[in-house]
Amino acid sequence: MKKIIYFIIAATIVGGLWSQVHALNDNASGKPDTSASAPASPELSTPSASPSEPIEVEEPEASAPESTPTPTPEEKPSGKPSEPSEPSEPSKPPKPSKPSKPSPNDDYDFGQIISPDDLPAMTIEHKGGIDVITNPKSLYVLANKKRNLPSDYVPPDLVVPDVPFSFSGDSPKKKMRKAAADALESLFQAAKDDGIELKAVSGYRSYATQKAIFTANAEKKGEDVANKTSARPGQSEHQTGLAMDISSASVGYALEETFAKTKEGKWLAAHAADHGFIIRFLKGKEKITGYSYEPWHVRYVGRDVAKEIARQKITLEEYMDEAAEVIAR
């Protein structure tokens, strides 16, 4: 009888243990415990989760790479508090650049004014050891220390302009070529209208006359010094009939640099181009022209050329260089 009792007790204990293991497995899988097995004895039972509070198992999610957020300008990483930055110095305004040399006007058409036949390179030939000009009749003829007029050249259309002169009587030096003479009359009338009194001093000079003038100056000053203020025969613009020396009573009608500071000299420099004349020998351009500054010596080249030369403040030599470059393109 005792053996039967012991068997029943052992079977009860084993069954209780089995039911507990089964319940734990069911709880781990999320299923409620539905077993109807008898409860085990308090001493042998293991505490388990209550059926009313099932254990939730989170589904694993795909992990994304973690990125470290970049602080915005307003945000700063934690650490020592940042010190206030010092205000930056105000930027200095840029220095004004020096005005560049004026360039040829984009609207200025050299080709419609200067013929290729008038370009210096096309108007010279070597004769008797010197370079002789082949276009002396051109209004754009370039005569200088490197370019000699023919010794027998006399302009064919010389006339005396109707303007006041600093001397009386007839003289070849009152003459100019017709186009230049007409322009000189216009220039003098404009000066008179502005209350400026000018007088013509010296226009056309023949090759022989220029030779006599240069020889006299060379004997007084020496050839090198004389050649800074007077041209050798054949190199003078006066022989072209397109030049005129102009002065005023304020300097005793003398041909000197002080004329530039007079109201008459200033007016002439400002208005000569309006009538087709240029101040031929500019200040600061002595290395190009070969002569000292002569504010009294004007040369006729026509309004288009004169205004462009005056705008750029260049010499006739520089103008011709530009013309040759543009026409060659």
Side-chain angles (χ1 to χ4, degrees):
M1 188 70 176
K2 288 180 179 181
K3 291 180 178 180
I4 295 172
I5 292 172
Y6 290 151
F7 178 78
I8 293 171
I9 292 172
T12 301
I13 292 171
V14 172
L17 290 173
W18 178 255
S19 65
Q20 290 294 323
V21 172
H22 185 68
L24 288 172
N25 290 335
D26 287 343
N27 286 337
S29 63
K31 296 180 181 180
D33 184 10
T34 58
S35 65
S37 59
S41 60
E43 294 82 3
L44 300 176
S45 64
T46 304
S48 61
S50 171
S52 61
E53 297 179 3
I55 299 174
E56 294 183 0
V57 179
E58 294 182 358
E59 292 292 329
E61 298 178 357
S63 61
E66 295 183 0
S67 60
T68 303
T70 304
T72 61
E74 293 77 19
E75 298 175 344
K76 293 187 177 179
S78 61
K80 293 183 179 180
S82 60
E83 297 180 358
S85 59
E86 296 182 359
S88 59
E89 295 183 0
S91 58
K92 296 180 180 180
K95 294 181 180 180
S97 58
K98 294 181 179 180
S100 58
K101 174 186 173 182
S103 58
N105 190 337
D106 290 339
D107 297 330
Y108 189 87
D109 191 345
F110 283 96
Q112 288 189 357
I113 300 170
I114 303 297
S115 165
D117 294 336
D118 282 324
L119 295 176
M122 305 297 294
T123 55
I124 202 78
E125 62 181 359
H126 197 69
K127 286 184 177 181
I130 61 173
D131 290 329
V132 180
I133 295 168
T134 60
N135 66 331
K137 295 180 181 179
S138 172
L139 293 179
Y140 311 115
V141 59
L142 178 62
N144 56 31
K145 291 183 178 181
K146 298 178 181 179
R147 299 169 55 84
N148 295 263
L149 291 161
S151 59
D152 60 351
Y153 174 69
V154 177
D157 56 347
L158 291 173
V159 296
V160 177
D162 186 13
V163 299
F165 283 86
S166 62
F167 60 94
S168 59
D170 294 334
S171 172
K173 65 180 184 178
K174 281 188 174 182
K175 296 180 179 180
M176 296 185 80
R177 290 189 60 183
K178 182 68 166 61
D182 291 344
L184 191 72
E185 292 175 359
S186 172
L187 175 70
F188 272 57
Q189 183 60 53
K192 184 178 180 180
D193 293 343
D194 287 345
I196 299 296
E197 184 180 352
L198 300 174
K199 287 192 176 182
V201 177
S202 181
Y204 168 72
R205 297 177 201 158
S206 67
Y207 183 96
T209 299
Q210 189 64 36
K211 183 177 180 179
I213 292 173
F214 181 79
T215 299
N217 287 332
E219 288 176 353
K220 290 180 182 179
K221 309 172 185 177
E223 286 193 14
D224 291 341
V225 175
N227 201 208
K228 292 180 180 179
T229 56
S230 61
R232 295 178 185 275
Q235 298 176 358
S236 173
E237 282 200 322
H238 288 279
Q239 189 182 343
T240 68
L242 299 172
M244 178 63 75
D245 292 336
I246 298 173
S247 192
S248 64
S250 57
V251 290
Y253 304 116
L255 303 179
E256 56 187 35
E257 194 171 324
T258 56
F259 175 67
K261 298 179 180 180
T262 66
K263 64 178 181 178
E264 295 87 0
K266 293 177 181 178
W267 185 96
L268 181 62
H271 297 279
D274 295 336
H275 304 272
F277 290 95
I278 60 172
I279 304 298
R280 180 64 177 94
F281 305 116
L282 295 172
K283 192 177 187 66
K285 299 285 188 176
E286 291 85 357
K287 290 184 179 180
I288 297 174
T289 64
Y291 295 102
S292 301
Y293 174 41
E294 295 188 0
W296 62 84
H297 180 109
V298 297
R299 154 71 193 272
Y300 182 74
V301 290
R303 289 186 182 181
D304 288 332
V305 175
K307 287 185 177 182
E308 183 63 12
I309 287 177
R311 185 187 72 83
Q312 293 193 57
K313 297 179 180 179
I314 58 176
T315 64
L316 184 57
E317 284 86 356
E318 291 172 301
Y319 175 87
M320 285 298 183
D321 287 344
E322 287 183 358
E325 182 179 348
V326 171
I327 292 173
R329 292 175 187 170

